[in-house]
Amino acid sequence: MPAPAPHQPMPLRWFTPGGEVRLCGHATLATAHVLFTEIGLRTPRIAFSTLSGTLSVTRLEQPNTYQMNFPVDKPAATPVPDALPAAIGLPWQAVYKGSDDFLVILAHEEELRSLNPRMDLLQAVDARGVIVSAPGTKDDFVSRCFYPRYGIPEDPVTGSAHTLLTPYWAAQLGKDVLTARQLSAREGILQCTLAQDRVLLQGQAVTYLRGMIFL
C-alpha cells in the first residue's frame, strides 16, 4: 500500500455484500488502525477522501483508541413507509429519515432488546437500512441497525448510523457528549460528540488476524 501524499486525503470506498455505500464507520476505523499500527503511519491524524466528503481519524493517547470525524446527518420528519409497521411489529414513539436510513424511536431499551423484525418486510423499505433506537438504562441511548437490502440482516456496530443518532439524542437529552451502546449480539460502545455540523465518534480497534495473499 503506498503511503498517502503529504496533506492529501487518501481515497477510501466501502463495499458490502449488496453494493457500495456512502459511509461506513467500522471499516474506516479498521483502515485507520491498520495504517497506524501495521503500515507504520506516524502522523497523529489521517484524512480520507470518500463519497461523504473528507473524513478524518485521529489516534488518541490511549492504546488502540481513535476518534473519527464524520459529517452530521440530521433527522427529518418523514412519511412512514407502508412496510415499516409490520416489519417492526412494536409501537413506536416517532419515525425520522436521514440521508440514507430510517430512524425508529422506541420508548424503552427492553423493547429494543426483544425486537425481532421481519427481514423480508425491511427489504421492502426504500432506504439503505432501518435504525431502531431507545433511551438507555445505563447509557445515554441504545440502538440496533438492520441492512438486509445490503446483505447485512443486523450490523454489529454501525458508526455511520451514529451520525444520525447523535444529533437526535443530543437534542432530546440536552447535551453534546453521549455514550451509546449498540445492542447487537456482540454489542459495541461508542462515545459520540456533536460538534456543530460534525459528529466525533470515539472507539477502539485491535488487529486480530494477519495473512499474506500471493498473486
Side-chain angles (χ1 to χ4, degrees):
M1 178 182 293
H7 310 298
Q8 291 295 320
M10 176 179 287
L12 180 62
R13 298 170 68 184
W14 308 277
F15 297 88
T16 74
E20 186 171 12
V21 293
R22 292 193 295 178
L23 182 61
C24 182
H26 223 99
T28 304
L29 178 65
T31 301
H33 173 73
V34 168
L35 289 169
F36 284 130
T37 63
E38 304 296 326
I39 305 301
L41 192 67
R42 295 187 178 182
T43 61
R45 175 182 173 274
I46 184 169
F48 297 104
S49 175
T50 78
L51 292 177
S52 291
T54 300
L55 314 177
S56 66
V57 181
T58 301
R59 178 167 43 182
L60 304 181
E61 291 185 3
Q62 184 178 349
N64 298 324
T65 303
Y66 307 92
Q67 184 180 76
M68 299 182 290
N69 186 320
F70 287 172
V72 72
D73 186 8
K74 293 183 178 180
T78 181
V80 175
D82 292 340
L84 194 58
I88 299 300
L90 291 172
W92 56 56
Q93 303 294 300
V95 176
Y96 299 93
K97 181 69 168 58
S99 59
D100 292 317
D101 301 326
F102 281 96
L103 171 59
V104 178
I105 304 298
L106 302 183
H108 305 290
E109 179 176 322
E110 293 76 13
E111 292 178 309
L112 183 58
R113 287 186 178 274
S114 66
L115 175 64
N116 185 23
R118 286 186 54 180
M119 294 298 162
D120 59 327
L121 295 179
L122 285 181
Q123 284 186 312
V125 176
D126 187 16
R128 182 184 70 160
V130 176
I131 305 163
V132 188
S133 186
T137 55
K138 296 181 180 179
D139 309 281
D140 289 313
F141 66 90
V142 291
S143 66
R144 293 173 65 187
C145 300
F146 306 97
Y147 301 99
R149 277 194 164 198
Y150 282 82
I152 305 170
E154 181 169 3
D155 199 34
V157 186
T158 315
S160 61
H162 287 77
T163 65
L164 180 61
L165 288 160
T166 299
Y168 173 81
W169 286 110
Q172 294 296 309
L173 301 176
K175 58 182 183 177
D176 293 336
V177 180
L178 306 105
T179 300
R181 184 181 300 268
Q182 192 157 329
L183 300 177
S184 62
R186 79 178 193 211
E187 293 200 353
I189 300 172
L190 302 89
Q191 180 175 302
C192 311
T193 302
L194 182 63
Q196 297 181 342
D197 62 345
R198 308 293 291 185
V199 172
L200 310 179
L201 302 176
Q202 182 174 317
Q204 294 182 315
V206 295
T207 301
Y208 76 95
L209 180 68
R210 293 183 179 91
M212 298 182 67
I213 298 176
F214 296 93
L215 300 177

